[in-house]
Amino acid sequence: MRVSFDNLDGRGAVDYTGHICVDGPVKIDRALNAPSRCSGMVAVGGSTLAALVRRARVVVTSDDGTALFTGYVATEPQQIYAGTGTTGPVYRTAFSAISDEWLLDKQSVATSGAGLGQSGGQVLTTLTDRVDAGLFTTQGVAAGRQVGVFQPEPTQNWSENASGVAAGAYAAYRVLDGALTLQSVGTVTHPLSDGDGTLQIAALSLGSVKELANDVTVSGELEPDAYVSELLMGDGTTAAFQLAEAPFRPKAAGKSSQLLSESFDLGVFDARVWTVTDGGSHLGFGANGLAMTGGNGLDGQTTLTAIDPVEMGGTLVVEAGSLRLDAASDGVVCGLYSGAVLRENCFAGYNVRQSGGSTLVVPFVNGAEVGTALTALQGHAYTLRIRLHCVETERVQQLYYALVDGVVKSFGGGLVDAPMMVVFELQDLGVSSNTPATVLYDGVVTVSPATCGFAAVNSVQLFGSMGYCRVTQAGSAWVRSTLPSGVTGTRLIGVAGEGVDCMVNSTGLVTFLAGRIPVAGEIVTVAYRRGRRAVARLEDSASVATEAAGGMPGAARWLGKVLRPAARSSVDCESAALAILSFASSRAAAITGSYEATNPADVWPGDVLALTRGGQTTNVLVRRVGIVDRMSAPEALTYRMEFANDWAEGLGLSLSEAIAEDALLPETALSAPGAALANLQLLQVVSSTATVLQVDTGTAPPAGGGFEVRRRDWDFEPGVDQDLVLRSPVRSFAIPREGQVERYYVRMFDGSTPPVYSRFSSAVFTNLPVG
């Protein structure tokens, strides 16, 4: 083994191999998806070698030149008294080094960098570039498997976040010799067989550390459940209304509502946020922020595009502030794109074009102009906003992986279909700040993309400037109202000074601003989602039956919480439970062990050992590798390889033994994810009188089924009459009024026996006079 140190004193790498102490040999410890560590002891007294210093670079190679470790002495080397020599006291120096990613771990991690249905390699590269682009080469980062949903944790360092990405893709990362690599688990397999003498049985240790589990209950994050429509009536004076429940807010929005915020005041484009395509230098900076000085005349070739995709769930606000457009402008501003940044792929944005010598700004939905066009006046500054509301807050479902019989299998994944309400509005900054914003379009898109890319600018030929742009996740609330005349429209939510109508805080208090207070008889409808803890319980019925042989109880229950990848919904919890059952329901479920060998092929965590004993082959995943130099010639490196399956030590799933305290535990286990009909995403109250609420569910009933209405949100099943209000076989029906304050819950059911229902209720809450 060869060991060199570079004390960063200008001498470069110096060979210290001959000064390694026999009683303090070099040891290397590698862990799966974690920094490697190297330790040892050197004696440099009486030599010309410099004493080791903190931050010295360490390189360890085998005699054949294989790089075993590269990193840095992370702490002050320790001087250890070794005795007295002819010249006085003699000391040895003990060192401890951490692999190259130590350089990234010393730096902060950006809050942005979410991965939504992207490859693990793409997410890891983005995460790394955001911390320190160019520090390591990333050519060895393979795309690998898809990551469902990944959100970086700014309180964790780079390697902890990288571990989350790698685990989510069932892969292993490493940093060695200035290169970051990522490869799927099992890419490298080391065959070891007693038949050819490569497997020494005496050096193999196996053990079971957990009992099997065939009845699994898991909890996840807080999820939205009921689709609430709460009806309130204005009286001309009341400005504040308290909702019956607090509107659900997505977890990411709870940390920071700003998904993207750019003030264009740094003088350069932040490479951690933007991808700039601009062959003609048409995008730059000026006194008013982003300066736009034209384009090459082609769609999609001069763009400023955010690196992170946007999950199109909940309530989003896209905003361009202090926007000035000069004559001859052509392009799209603040566009959300389902695909490449081209006009034809623009789901929502502001289309800028010329007409009769005037510059028009027109709402753009699904590649076509809608609503009212604004004539942009020379010298005027505007704030343009797009408000989008989707009843589904999570549009991307989580993916989990597990190693089952030597094959990596996936569980979960997919996208959630949902409609989208879209409102385009603007403010002319030359008028009073309390002047209501002008609404250019207020409509519904029945089919919307689950994710979009965001481009602040797609300049065919844009001239002017933009002061700032931002994308905000505002939760799940959306307010509409119906005037006594029957005219309906969206009430804009925001803060005073933005030309909005009202504010909605986290506790569910809706406050209307002066001049926007609901008039007498105006019906205000607040749509939002209610929150609860995501939970699921599944069993492996075959395993339960096997364990029940001989009259023993067959169920072996396990309860826990999914820590990583995050289970944001009950559907995600079901996917996680399926993954757990795939590796936890075997009698050999939690196998751990170790194997020692001298001078094997270099083994890294994430490799697979194919152990053949007595003609039977078992594939085990290496979790940790310890390398010790035996200080002999020829070289003798002892590798101790520790391995475990997923139930003993999770990789694709990180679990806690303690389930969430607020989880409502299911009474019985299902043998498969519960069948469910579509939720009534489009249910609405079309009219209300003193005696009835007229409801349109937004969809036709299934054959032999219909819609069930109850006063409480449980016991949806035939034969249960308490709390039952009615069952309707038709799409539209009337609910009799019973009081000013009412709560009704509606689910769809089909004609099967027993009937299948919607997973969640659509709720109607009222606080309306009955007289």
Side-chain angles (χ1 to χ4, degrees):
M1 182 180 281
R2 314 298 299 178
V3 184
S4 68
F5 291 89
D6 183 350
N7 281 325
L8 307 180
D9 54 5
R11 300 181 184 181
V14 178
D15 191 345
Y16 279 67
T17 303
H19 296 266
I20 301 295
C21 299
V22 175
D23 54 351
V26 173
K27 299 180 180 179
I28 298 172
D29 294 305
R30 299 168 174 170
L32 181 59
N33 294 328
S36 299
R37 295 181 180 271
C38 178
S39 61
M41 192 178 298
V42 297
V44 296
S47 72
T48 59
L49 296 178
L52 301 184
V53 298
R54 188 181 69 83
R55 299 173 61 249
R57 179 158 177 78
V58 187
V59 176
V60 181
T61 61
S62 64
D63 284 352
D64 65 4
T66 301
L68 302 177
F69 174 88
T70 60
Y72 296 85
V73 177
T75 57
E76 294 292 344
Q78 182 181 4
Q79 300 300 312
I80 299 175
Y81 177 68
T84 303
T86 57
T87 59
V90 177
Y91 292 89
R92 295 172 178 173
T93 303
F95 68 89
S96 177
I98 301 176
S99 50
D100 289 351
E101 59 261 50
W102 179 69
L103 298 177
L104 290 172
D105 286 346
K106 292 161 61 68
Q107 304 182 59
S108 61
V109 173
T111 56
S112 55
L116 297 170
Q118 299 166 295
S119 71
Q122 181 180 355
V123 177
L124 181 61
T125 300
T126 298
L127 173 71
T128 305
D129 289 345
R130 278 204 164 93
V131 175
D132 195 338
L135 182 62
F136 300 133
T137 61
T138 57
Q139 288 89 342
V141 177
R145 297 181 182 87
Q146 187 183 77
V147 173
V149 179
F150 171 78
Q151 180 66 44
E153 293 285 348
T155 57
Q156 297 179 346
N157 59 28
W158 178 89
S159 61
E160 290 168 329
N161 278 287
S163 175
V165 175
Y170 213 80
Y173 91 81
R174 77 180 71 148
V175 185
L176 183 68
D177 200 19
L180 170 65
T181 62
L182 179 79
Q183 60 183 16
S184 296
V185 162
T187 299
V188 177
T189 298
H190 304 275
L192 299 170
S193 172
D194 56 5
D196 58 20
T198 58
L199 177 64
Q200 304 299 317
I201 301 299
L204 179 65
S205 173
L206 288 173
S208 180
V209 296
K210 261 185 188 177
E211 294 185 24
L212 68 82
N214 55 29
D215 182 341
V216 171
T217 304
V218 293
S219 65
E221 307 290 341
L222 289 176
E223 71 169 336
D225 63 348
Y227 302 76
V228 179
S229 294
E230 186 159 349
L231 279 67
L232 311 165
M233 180 173 285
D235 57 11
T237 59
T238 301
F241 299 84
Q242 180 63 53
L243 299 177
E245 305 275 357
F248 174 81
R249 295 182 67 86
K251 183 178 179 181
K255 295 179 180 179
S256 173
S257 61
Q258 298 294 330
L259 303 183
L260 181 148
S261 183
E262 176 62 82
S263 297
F264 301 114
D265 55 1
L266 297 179
V268 294
F269 293 111
D270 190 340
R272 299 172 301 175
V273 178
W274 300 104
T275 296
V276 183
T277 303
D278 184 14
S281 300
H282 299 293
L283 303 178
F285 298 88
N288 296 317
L290 173 67
M292 300 173 288
T293 56
N296 65 0
L298 299 175
D299 183 22
Q301 295 196 12
T302 304
T303 61
L304 180 62
T305 307
I307 295 173
D308 292 341
V310 178
E311 187 170 19
M312 302 293 285
T315 300
L316 298 168
V317 181
V318 180
E319 184 174 357
S322 298
L323 178 70
R324 293 174 170 84
L325 292 172
D326 296 334
S329 285
D330 185 4
V332 178
V333 175
C334 278
L336 292 161
Y337 295 84
S338 179
V341 180
L342 295 167
R343 273 179 162 138
E344 63 187 27
N345 296 327
C346 184
F347 170 68
Y350 279 95
N351 192 45
V352 181
R353 61 177 174 84
Q354 297 300 300
S355 177
S358 299
T359 299
L360 300 184
V361 180
V362 192
F364 209 47
V365 175
N366 281 330
E369 293 184 349
V370 296
T372 304
L374 163 75
T375 300
L377 301 178
Q378 190 79 17
H380 282 231
Y382 301 91
T383 296
L384 304 181
R385 295 188 188 93
I386 308 172
R387 298 181 186 271
L388 307 108
H389 173 70
C390 180
V391 293
E392 303 294 346
T393 60
E394 281 87 28
R395 303 290 304 276
V396 181
Q397 294 176 336
Q398 193 59 274
L399 260 173
Y400 298 96
Y401 297 97
L403 188 64
V404 183
D405 297 329
V407 178
V408 178
K409 294 186 177 181
S410 63
F411 302 85
L415 305 176
V416 178
D417 294 329
M420 182 81 71
M421 296 183 181
V422 185
V423 172
F424 289 77
E425 68 184 78
L426 69 89
Q427 283 180 280
D428 187 331
L429 299 183
V431 300
S432 172
S433 63
N434 63 357
T435 300
T438 301
V439 174
L440 301 178
Y441 177 74
D442 186 349
V444 178
V445 181
T446 56
V447 179
S448 65
T451 64
C452 279
F454 171 70
V457 170
N458 173 13
S459 178
V460 177
Q461 287 284 351
L462 287 175
F463 298 92
S465 62
M466 182 188 297
Y468 67 88
C469 72
R470 57 187 174 217
V471 180
T472 305
Q473 169 55 261
S476 65
W478 189 258
V479 181
R480 289 183 63 84
S481 69
T482 302
L483 295 171
S485 63
V487 175
T488 64
T490 300
R491 290 287 215 146
L492 307 181
I493 305 172
V495 298
E498 293 183 346
V500 299
D501 300 301
C502 60
M503 301 180 291
V504 180
N505 69 11
S506 59
T507 66
L509 181 65
V510 182
T511 304
F512 287 87
L513 303 178
R516 276 75 147 193
I517 295 174
V519 301
E522 181 178 350
I523 303 295
V524 177
T525 302
V526 185
Y528 60 94
R529 297 293 297 273
R530 191 182 62 183
R532 70 163 192 178
R533 179 67 59 181
V535 67
R537 181 181 179 186
L538 296 178
E539 70 174 9
D540 184 325
S541 54
S543 175
V544 172
T546 299
E547 292 298 306
M552 294 290 289
R557 193 173 184 191
W558 182 87
L559 296 87
K561 182 178 181 180
V562 180
L563 300 179
R564 191 178 67 181
R568 303 190 298 168
S569 67
S570 294
V571 174
D572 289 347
C573 287
E574 289 175 350
S575 300
L578 284 174
I580 294 169
L581 288 172
S582 74
F583 54 67
S585 57
S586 164
R587 293 198 176 189
I591 293 297
T592 63
S594 64
Y595 180 69
E596 286 191 3
T598 301
N599 292 340
D602 193 27
V603 179
W604 280 85
D607 292 354
V608 168
L609 302 183
L611 306 176
T612 302
R613 300 179 298 159
Q616 299 291 322
T617 300
T618 302
N619 292 315
V620 293
L621 176 61
V622 178
R623 305 297 179 129
R624 279 169 289 278
V625 176
I627 307 173
V628 179
D629 183 9
R630 293 304 181 190
M631 306 291 290
S632 64
E635 182 180 60
L637 301 180
T638 298
Y639 278 68
R640 178 180 174 85
M641 295 155 277
E642 299 180 20
F643 51 82
N645 63 10
D646 283 341
W647 187 223
E649 187 175 340
L651 173 59
L653 267 167
S654 178
L655 303 168
S656 166
E657 297 283 347
I659 199 165
E661 294 181 355
D662 58 352
L664 182 62
L665 301 182
E667 294 182 3
T668 58
L670 301 175
S671 58
L677 298 182
N679 297 313
L680 301 176
Q681 299 171 330
L682 297 175
L683 183 143
Q684 61 178 328
V685 178
V686 295
S687 66
S688 61
T689 69
T691 57
V692 297
L693 299 172
Q694 189 65 40
V695 174
D696 179 8
T697 61
T699 187
F707 306 95
E708 189 169 295
V709 182
R710 292 184 177 271
R711 295 186 183 87
R712 290 180 174 84
D713 195 12
W714 55 74
D715 288 338
F716 279 87
E717 57 183 299
V720 178
D721 293 333
Q722 61 264 32
D723 299 319
L724 177 65
V725 177
L726 61 89
R727 293 187 179 96
S728 172
V730 296
R731 166 177 170 165
S732 298
F733 52 87
I735 301 176
R737 296 288 307 280
E738 297 181 351
Q740 176 164 323
V741 178
E742 300 165 293
R743 293 193 182 194
Y744 299 106
Y745 299 87
V746 187
R747 296 195 192 191
M748 183 164 57
F749 64 91
D750 66 9
S752 58
T753 304
V756 177
Y757 285 80
S758 304
R759 180 181 292 273
F760 296 126
S761 297
S762 290
V764 177
F765 297 171
T766 69
N767 189 350
L768 302 173
V770 294

